[in-house]
């Protein structure tokens, strides 16, 4: 399933042996995942058209950059379907995210925000909301911290 979510090239941007891990879980049509790497990386590529991605920025991934903007603890990244991704991470980076099918995201946006989804789905956004970030991070941690969860290392 990860090939449907990420079409990226990953380049190590500091010397030394690199280790990285990816955990993911498919839940009700959504993909929940977390990646970790011990070296700084540059990730470039496109996201697929069918998913809207939300990623909370915590102390384990703050200081990295997305599309040239430094990510701060407490930020939320809302990533447009099919959008370009350009992220620079620091050594020790660990980041979680959820990718939601566009049809589900549209229903949630209409029901919860009483607005047309295109306003949120048509562009990427960086919002600072420590409370929402913490809530989403806790939810993703609960979903990912299960012993039966598949993992891969490379």
């Amino acid at each position: 399933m990860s090939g449907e979510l990420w079409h990226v090239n990953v380049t190590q941007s500091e010397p030394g042996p690199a280790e990285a891990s990816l955990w993911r879980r498919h839940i009700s049509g959504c993909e929940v995942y977390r990646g970790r790497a011990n070296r700084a990386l540059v990730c470039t590529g496109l996201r697929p058209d069918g998913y809207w991605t939300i990623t909370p920025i915590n102390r384990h991934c703050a200081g990295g950059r997305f599309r040239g903007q430094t990510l701060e603890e407490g930020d939320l990244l809302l990533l447009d379907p099919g959008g370009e991704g350009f992220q620079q991470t620091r050594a020790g980076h660990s980041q979680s995210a959820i990718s939601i099918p566009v049809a589900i995201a549209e229903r949630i946006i209409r029901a919860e925000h009483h607005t047309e989804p295109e306003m949120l789905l048509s562009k990427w956004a960086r919002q600072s909301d420590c409370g929402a970030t913490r809530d989403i991070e806790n939810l993703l941690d609960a979903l990912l911290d299960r012993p039966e969860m598949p993992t891969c290392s490379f």
Side-chain angles (χ1 to χ4, degrees), residues 46-111:
L46 295 174
R47 289 182 304 284
D49 294 332
Y51 290 89
W52 186 50
T53 301
I54 301 171
T55 185
I57 305 302
N58 61 28
R59 63 185 171 88
H60 302 292
C61 55
R65 298 173 61 79
F66 185 80
R67 290 190 178 173
Q69 293 187 20
T70 301
L71 302 174
E72 308 273 338
E73 185 174 356
D75 285 349
L76 274 176
L77 282 180
L78 308 171
L79 304 174
D80 52 323
E84 179 186 17
F86 182 82
Q87 186 169 6
Q88 298 166 288
T89 68
R90 298 175 359 156
H93 179 91
S94 178
Q95 185 173 344
S96 299
I98 183 168
S99 289
I100 305 167
V102 169
I104 294 172
E106 289 173 338
R107 287 195 328 253
I108 292 169
I109 292 166
R110 280 189 185 104

Side-chain angles (χ1 to χ4, degrees), residues 2 15 28 61 89-90 114 123 132 143 145 147:
S2 62
S28 299
C61 55
T89 68
R90 298 175 359 156
H114 308 289
K123 61 182 187 281
L143 293 171
D145 289 339

